[in-house]
């Protein structure tokens, strides 16, 4: 009986630790999907059935919980003249937001390579 209680306590402790780690990253609660904005020419590759990977070792990709959040962030960058006004699309990534995200200052960025699975313009 004591062994069963010990195992249960350890299991609950592990779950609490994982949740505390996610909370300590300041990730948005209840965010499951991961979206990015990227050049719209990637749509051609996706629609051809090719696997398209985003690699954060090559370029930083801010992550968002929805296409709408990505759109607002991109529009801000365009207004600030940091990006051109056209040639963009919004892409959904394979995987869960919490597994793909890392916090870097005030941004949430893609921490590991991920495949694009869907898009919207």
């Amino acid at each position: 009986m004591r062994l069963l209680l010990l195992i249960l306590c350890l299991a609950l402790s592990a779950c609490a630790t994982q949740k505390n780690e996610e909370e300590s990253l300041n990730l948005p609660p209840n965010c499951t999907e991961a979206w990015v904005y990227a050049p719209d020419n990637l749509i051609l590759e996706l629609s051809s059935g090719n696997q398209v990977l985003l690699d954060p070792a090559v370029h930083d990709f801010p992550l968002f919980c929805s296409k709408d959040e990505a759109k607002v962030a991109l529009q801000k960058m365009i207004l600030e003249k940091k990006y051109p006004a056209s040639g963009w699309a919004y892409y959904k990534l394979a995987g869960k937001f919490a597994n793909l995200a890392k916090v870097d200052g005030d941004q949430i960025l893609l921490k590991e390579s991920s495949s694009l699975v869907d898009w919207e313009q």
Side-chain angles (χ1 to χ4, degrees), residues 63-94:
L63 283 187
F64 306 94
C65 289
S66 69
K67 179 197 77 138
D68 292 335
E69 287 180 11
K71 186 174 184 176
V72 168
L74 177 60
Q75 288 174 346
K76 180 181 177 196
M77 299 300 275
I78 290 170
L79 287 173
E80 293 174 359
K81 310 256 187 241
K82 293 181 180 178
Y83 291 135
S86 62
W88 299 99
Y90 308 97
Y91 300 92
K92 183 178 172 184
L93 297 171

Side-chain angles (χ1 to χ4, degrees), residues 10 13 16 21-22 24 30 42-43 58 66 77 88 93 100:
L10 290 173
S13 174
E21 287 173 1
E22 289 178 9
S24 70
N30 303 319
L42 299 177
I43 294 172
V58 176
S66 69
M77 299 300 275
W88 299 99
L93 297 171
L100 297 172

Side-chain angles (χ1 to χ4, degrees), residues 93-106:
L93 297 171
K96 293 186 178 186
F97 186 91
N99 296 338
L100 297 172
K102 72 174 182 177
V103 175
D104 185 12
D106 61 349

